[in-house]
Amino acid sequence: TDLDALLPPRMLFVSLPLSWKEKPPRRFTTDTRDREEPALDRIVPEDPNVPYDMNQVISRIVDDADFFEIMPAFARNIIVGFGRLEGRTIGVIGNQPTQLAGCLDIDASVKAARFVRFCDAFGLPVVTLVDVPGFMPGVAQEHGGIIRHGAKLLYAYAEATVPKLTVITRKAYGGAYDVMASKHLRGDVNLAWPSSEIAVMGAKGAVEIIFRGMPAEQQEKEVARYERLFTNPLTAARRGFIDDIIEPRQTRHRLCQELD
């Protein structure tokens, strides 16, 4: 209908300043920063191979669960769109574990890079929710230039001058972790949930490479040791890659606080 066609441009228009010279619009809201979301404490499954919907995480963080997603049918493994925190317009980027396990491929990298640049042009803070197991493997991705397109996202985050806030919800592996607004790309505030796993790769894959040829029983012990040492945010926090480890229910409060 005509209404369906006119509504998305209207939602985009009210999210942006009239020009890059003006400050982002701020709308009155009764949704305060003190609202906690206990559901976020349970949203990440204990099994790291079980997906969850990142849209549910976003809707519980932004004002009044109001999130305007951009290009939802393209590169579904990454989510980009506009939301608000205490009335401020923000750009939101998040990996989508229900699609391709949240891996970054060519389309996702280009989609996110363009959105970061767009937010930077209009002075909108960027909030990044990270659950990425890596770049998508495969001959098609290699021939299509996954390194070149992945570098677009890396460069977009590195050169952006707007506030960049990052929350790691679960997996943050390898080079894909680096390009998702990590501290290595001058992220302003990097937070992690207790469920986050910040490492070069998953425990099983790492042990199979490092201890190749070792008996299966010994490999299982090494997997447990790897998980104890690296599949948690403590090591990254000790090295300064993470500013704080927070309870998921406090995510909205901390993001609002950091934007001040």
Side-chain angles (χ1 to χ4, degrees):
T1 65
D2 290 345
L3 183 60
D4 293 333
L6 292 172
L7 187 58
R10 175 184 286 270
M11 294 179 68
L12 177 63
F13 182 78
V14 300
S15 299
L16 301 176
L18 295 180
S19 77
W20 63 271
K21 296 181 180 180
E22 298 188 12
K23 293 183 178 181
R26 189 161 185 172
R27 189 174 67 183
F28 173 78
T29 179
T30 58
D31 196 355
T32 67
R33 67 174 62 184
D34 296 324
R35 172 173 61 83
E36 291 189 346
E37 280 289 344
L40 290 178
D41 293 340
R42 305 182 299 273
I43 200 166
V44 177
E46 292 185 6
D47 186 344
N49 296 318
V50 175
Y52 61 96
D53 189 357
M54 188 63 81
N55 274 305
Q56 294 185 16
V57 177
I58 296 172
S59 64
R60 285 174 166 83
I61 292 175
V62 298
D63 291 352
D64 305 310
D66 184 14
F67 177 63
F68 176 44
E69 186 174 357
I70 305 296
M71 301 169 64
F74 175 70
R76 294 175 183 267
N77 46 322
I78 200 160
I79 301 167
V80 302
F82 299 103
R84 287 184 173 84
L85 288 175
E86 288 193 317
R88 304 183 187 89
T89 300
I90 60 168
V92 181
I93 300 175
N95 305 107
Q96 177 56 289
T98 62
Q99 302 290 329
L100 302 178
C103 284
L104 285 176
D105 60 1
I106 292 173
D107 289 343
S109 299
V110 172
K111 176 181 175 180
R114 289 178 175 175
F115 186 74
V116 172
R117 290 181 181 277
F118 186 88
C119 291
D120 190 42
F122 283 96
L124 302 178
V126 177
V127 174
T128 306
L129 302 172
V130 182
D131 186 349
V132 60
F135 282 99
M136 177 65 68
V139 175
Q141 292 291 313
E142 295 291 343
H143 287 178
I146 181 64
I147 296 177
R148 172 165 51 90
H149 292 292
K152 293 178 181 178
L153 180 56
L154 183 149
Y155 193 74
Y157 271 123
E159 73 167 0
T161 57
V162 295
K164 292 174 287 188
L165 288 71
T166 305
V167 180
I168 300 174
T169 61
R170 188 165 63 178
K171 296 177 182 177
Y173 291 165
Y177 151 66
D178 284 331
V179 305
M180 291 296 291
S182 67
K183 211 66 171 176
H184 316 293
L185 293 183
R186 297 185 295 180
D188 295 299
V189 178
N190 291 70
L191 307 172
W193 289 2
S195 56
S196 60
E197 306 173 6
I198 305 167
V200 175
M201 61 192 307
K204 191 173 185 298
V207 168
E208 288 177 351
I209 293 173
I210 299 172
F211 301 100
R212 184 178 180 180
M214 182 178 287
E217 293 183 359
Q218 188 63 30
Q219 284 195 4
E220 290 179 4
K221 293 181 180 179
E222 292 297 335
V223 168
R225 178 172 173 269
Y226 187 98
E227 290 175 345
R228 185 176 67 256
L229 293 176
F230 301 112
T231 57
N232 62 71
L234 297 177
T235 300
R238 282 196 297 266
R239 296 182 178 181
F241 303 154
I242 297 297
D243 293 306
D244 199 2
I245 302 170
I246 63 172
E247 293 297 328
R249 66 173 64 199
Q250 299 174 347
T251 303
R252 171 180 168 82
H253 178 84
R254 283 300 301 269
L255 291 177
C256 292
Q257 186 179 55
E258 297 297 344
L259 281 175
D260 286 342

